[in-house]
Amino acid sequence: MAQQQQQQVVVLHATGAPEVMHLEPMSTGAPGPGEVWLAQAAIGVNPLDVSQRKGAVRIALPSGLGLEGAGTVAAIGAGVTNVAVGDRVAYATGPLGAYASARRFPADRLVKLPQALSFDDAAAVLFKGITAQYLLKTTCAVGPGTRIVLYGAAGGLGQIMAAWARHLGAFVIGVVSKAESVERARAAGCHEVFVFDPATLAAQVKQATEGQGADVVYDPIGRVSLEASLDSLRPRGLFVSFGALSGAPAPIDMGTLNAKGSLFATRPSLAAHTATAAEYQERARDVLDAIAAGIVRPQVWRRYPLAEVAQAHSDLEQGRSQGAIVLVP
């Protein structure tokens, strides 16, 4: 049986540089109750994976890595009724362990894929799409005239958020790390794009918004961008910290929020916004509908063999990627 064949999995025994990830053989068996055995065809790589691998976001070790994948159901366990053997599916939540050629996975966290959506595109877009969905529709209800600042606007998640926010009617100010990324961010949907400089960003945002400031700042950068993000907001604006690519942001003194205009601040997570299977499936359906409508377009920048996971992480971490990264078992 397919599930008895030896498979491979990336294991993290310690945090650190990309080289701490090791490809190891994995013992396999039949799925348990409520589980499936999933033959994976594509695996998504996300900034959260990098933060976990580096230790900025702590996970228990040893551990697998990765929260996003797509493939075919190879076997089902007892009590599974929502999917069948042969179904094309994807997922975008834990448990950790997506960096593998096959895996057990909870059946109620699988999303059935339309035939028009490839495994590569599904693995490139579902995690990022659900993240964009909750950030734009729940963390802040973005709509016509909402002024947003979006870091990483030329990256995999940033391109999805820029396009979706513009469709919702927002005025989108993109922030990128280098001049070569400006046009890609504009093409994604940004009205204005600035190359990040913590000394000038707030003034640029104020000028772009006719002195008003942004209603919301989406900041996955962390330590180096915190002050510039807070200073870019209008009075009673919302600071959304959802990543730590430059390290964890410093603690915010409550008096600082008051002094800068009674600001709001939040640190949301995908897990808290997909805590139940029903909420998770609802957000996933919204993403698939946005893809079908052409609002969100999967952008796979590069495919790497699973054995080259360290190079994939290095390219993402060093800002060399120009879109989503996919691992292929």
Side-chain angles (χ1 to χ4, degrees):
M1 294 177 62
Q3 63 263 34
Q4 299 298 328
Q5 297 174 358
Q6 187 179 80
Q7 305 289 345
Q8 291 184 306
V9 59
V10 172
V11 179
L12 196 66
H13 293 280
T15 57
E19 290 71 26
V20 300
M21 296 180 291
H22 298 283
L23 190 62
E24 301 179 2
M26 174 181 61
S27 299
T28 64
E35 295 180 332
V36 307
W37 184 254
L38 182 63
Q40 300 207 122
I43 302 152
V45 177
N46 293 286
L48 178 57
D49 307 347
V50 174
S51 295
Q52 290 172 334
R53 186 257 301 158
K54 293 169 62 177
V57 174
R58 294 186 178 183
I59 56 176
L61 299 176
S63 176
L65 203 60
L67 292 162
E68 178 177 35
T72 303
V73 176
I76 61 173
V80 173
T81 59
N82 62 310
V83 294
V85 172
D87 280 353
R88 302 173 70 255
V89 295
Y91 60 90
T93 57
L96 287 169
Y99 290 11
S101 55
R103 68 179 303 195
R104 293 185 184 89
F105 198 79
D108 65 354
R109 309 298 284 190
L110 293 172
V111 177
K112 288 187 178 180
L113 297 179
Q115 288 297 322
L117 188 63
S118 71
F119 288 130
D120 280 8
D121 284 348
V125 78
L126 193 59
F127 183 98
K128 299 171 185 67
I130 293 176
T131 300
Q133 197 271 355
Y134 85 72
L135 287 172
L136 294 172
K137 295 192 174 185
T138 302
T139 304
C140 179
V142 170
T146 306
R147 302 178 300 271
I148 80 170
V149 171
L150 172 63
Y151 287 83
L157 173 60
Q159 291 180 59
I160 292 172
M161 288 189 68
W164 210 339
R166 184 156 183 158
H167 172 79
L168 292 170
F171 179 75
V172 184
I173 301 171
V175 182
V176 296
S177 61
K178 52 192 176 185
E180 304 92 278
S181 301
V182 169
E183 288 308 312
R184 191 163 65 252
R186 286 190 183 278
C190 294
H191 295 84
E192 295 280 356
V193 184
F194 302 121
V195 178
F196 179 62
D197 181 339
T200 61
L201 180 62
Q204 291 171 315
V205 171
K206 292 291 175 64
Q207 184 175 16
T209 57
E210 299 180 342
Q212 298 179 78
D215 297 297
V216 57
V217 173
Y218 292 106
D219 185 346
I221 306 303
R223 180 177 55 83
V224 302
S225 54
L226 173 60
E227 186 172 355
S229 294
L230 295 177
D231 288 342
S232 295
L233 287 164
R234 65 162 171 82
R236 302 194 305 277
L238 174 62
F239 169 63
V240 182
S241 172
F242 67 102
L245 289 176
S246 68
I252 302 175
D253 185 273
M254 293 297 102
T256 298
L257 297 179
N258 175 269
K260 291 183 180 294
S262 298
L263 302 180
F264 296 87
T266 185
R267 178 78 173 180
S269 71
L270 181 73
H273 289 80
T274 56
T276 67
E279 184 177 24
Y280 167 65
Q281 294 288 347
E282 182 180 356
R283 293 191 191 280
R285 281 194 298 271
D286 198 14
V287 173
L288 294 178
D289 288 346
I291 294 170
I295 299 165
V296 170
R297 293 182 173 84
Q299 299 283 348
V300 177
W301 174 64
R302 186 166 293 175
R303 302 163 83 247
Y304 298 77
L306 186 58
E308 296 179 12
V309 61
Q311 185 61 54
H313 266 231
S314 178
D315 286 344
L316 178 59
E317 190 173 1
Q318 299 304 318
R320 290 187 287 266
S321 62
Q322 299 177 16
I325 289 174
V326 170
L327 299 174
V328 181

